[in-house]
Amino acid sequence: MGDYENAIEIKGVTKRYDGFTLDHISFEVPKGSIMGYIGQNGAGKTTTIRSLLNIIPIDNGEIRLLGLDHIKDETEIKQRIAVVFDELPFHDIFNANDMAKIFEGLYAQWNNGIYKEYLDRFQLPSRKKIGQFSKGMKMKLQIACALSHHAELLVMDEPTTGLDPVVRDEILHIFMEYLETGERSILMSSHITSDLEKIADSVTYIDKGKILISGYKDEILEKHGVLKCSKEELKAVDPQDIVSTRINDFGAEAMVYDKEAMSDKYSGLLIDPTSLEEIMLYYVNQEKREWS
């Protein structure tokens, strides 16, 4: 295990496409933690993940994984990390045993014993063709492969999408186990905020290629709140204090940046706790100021 502080460091990364730009994004994933990378479909999550894996070249910026340069040290990095995509990159005609042979050739640290344990635990048949697997089974197979070569960093793009709640819960549990040593780290992109609410240490929100907010999950949840008031009372609230405001027939709900300070400042008004999903909604609508 290497000596590094952050499992991932992304600094000022830009990637321009026709009609979409990943725009000077920066964030870091501290070693031993799990970061939830949150955004709507098309927000730039997959572009970020492909950039850090050097599948696509970036236009500007710097990316370090496990303290190493993502381009110069690509070969070493690929031995020490594992990747899970939302679509299975394995061929339908293979079975789980075939995958073991393929991965054994790819990874010096591949461990057949661990792999077999995951197959048993996930109740995956070793000889059945992958083409006959359900979506949940395919995802479990990817995870079994990802966790069987002593990777220090797990990078996942929407690993829980389209899975039923029981399977999702089982998979989240395995990610928590994987982190237990304190030496391993996870970056997990998702638009299912409830999953990240359960397991993430920190979260980064991306929208239209820009990072809106990044930090420790508990601090972000602690600081933000939803101020509930009438449209009349809203006029007394400084727009600088508000992320954005949701207007409905009964009045207004405004997300505030700093719940504690706002409770003192607007002492007559009620401020409720919030969730990651709500925070995402208010930030995504930040430019509109008011929405319904």
Side-chain angles (χ1 to χ4, degrees), residues 25-28 35-39 202-207 209-225 243 255-258 274-284 286:
I25 66 159
S26 300
F27 66 85
E28 47 204 37
M35 171 169 287
Y37 194 35
I38 308 177
S202 51
V203 290
T204 296
Y205 284 89
I206 185 169
D207 189 51
K210 286 180 165 45
I211 301 281
L212 300 180
I213 184 172
S214 184
Y216 284 104
K217 178 190 71 185
D218 292 347
E219 282 172 24
I220 289 172
L221 285 169
E222 195 58 43
K223 275 196 100 63
H224 291 79
V243 179
M255 172 143 315
V256 295
Y257 293 104
D258 189 339
T274 186
S275 65
L276 290 180
E277 187 160 0
E278 232 178 5
I279 293 171
M280 179 161 119
L281 276 174
Y282 280 92
Y283 270 90
V284 164
Q286 205 168 14

Side-chain angles (χ1 to χ4, degrees), residues 186-197:
I186 294 179
L187 174 68
M188 172 175 163
S189 91
S190 185
H191 62 271
I192 306 173
T193 44
S194 57
D195 284 351
L196 298 173
E197 195 121 21

Side-chain angles (χ1 to χ4, degrees), residues 102-119:
I102 293 166
F103 275 92
E104 202 166 10
L106 289 175
Y107 294 103
Q109 296 271 340
W110 178 261
N111 185 316
N112 265 321
I114 295 176
Y115 179 63
K116 287 278 191 294
E117 276 170 31
Y118 278 117
L119 292 186

